[in-house]
């Protein structure tokens, strides 16, 4: 059910509700990223696929650099690609 809620927030590009859900459940993006799949994709690829730029940027900012780097090649949204490139080069 938690994964379903997270996927719904990603699909609707609702960063505010996603942040409050994570905080209320004492979760971090880093800790749930590997375990949550939305339509067979990780949350970042799902955000990219749904055009959820705000949530995608939030996820990129909270993930470790190597996780972002591993997903970067699959991103199609130019804003998310730029944010991921910035995140991985520093």
């Amino acid at each position: 059910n938690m994964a379903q809620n997270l996927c719904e927030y990603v699909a609707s590009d609702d960063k505010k509700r996603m942040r409050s859900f994570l905080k209320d459940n004492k979760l971090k993006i880093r800790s749930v990223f590997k375990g949550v799949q939305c339509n067979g994709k990780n949350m970042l690829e799902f955000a990219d696929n749904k055009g959820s730029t705000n949530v995608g940027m939030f996820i990129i900012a909270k993930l470790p650099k190597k996780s972002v780097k591993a997903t970067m090649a699959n991103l199609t949204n130019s804003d998310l690609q730029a944010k991921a490139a910035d995140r991985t080069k520093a």
Side-chain angles (χ1 to χ4, degrees):
N1 195 18
M2 279 191 181
Q4 185 179 359
N5 287 341
L6 288 170
C7 290
E8 286 174 14
Y9 300 144
V10 172
S12 62
D13 201 16
D14 196 341
K15 182 174 114 178
K16 184 179 178 191
R17 284 180 56 207
M18 183 175 197
R19 287 181 64 164
S20 68
F21 178 81
L22 290 167
K23 189 174 183 175
D24 292 345
N25 290 288
K26 295 184 172 89
L27 296 171
K28 293 186 185 255
I29 290 283
R30 296 174 171 248
S31 61
V32 297
F33 183 73
K34 285 185 177 152
V36 175
Q37 294 280 309
C38 307
N39 291 352
K41 300 174 189 279
N42 68 43
M43 288 191 297
L44 184 52
E45 291 172 357
F46 187 65
D48 178 61
N49 198 30
K50 290 288 185 182
S52 301
T53 309
N54 292 329
V55 170
M57 299 266 201
F58 171 68
I59 293 171
I60 289 170
K62 298 295 180 187
L63 283 178
K65 290 180 184 177
K66 66 181 182 183
S67 296
V68 174
K69 200 169 227 171
T71 308
M72 240 169 92
N74 300 330
L75 300 178
T76 56
N77 181 314
S78 59
D79 292 335
L80 294 181
Q81 286 174 333
K83 176 81 171 176
D86 279 354
R87 177 86 173 98
T88 55
K89 79 176 166 197

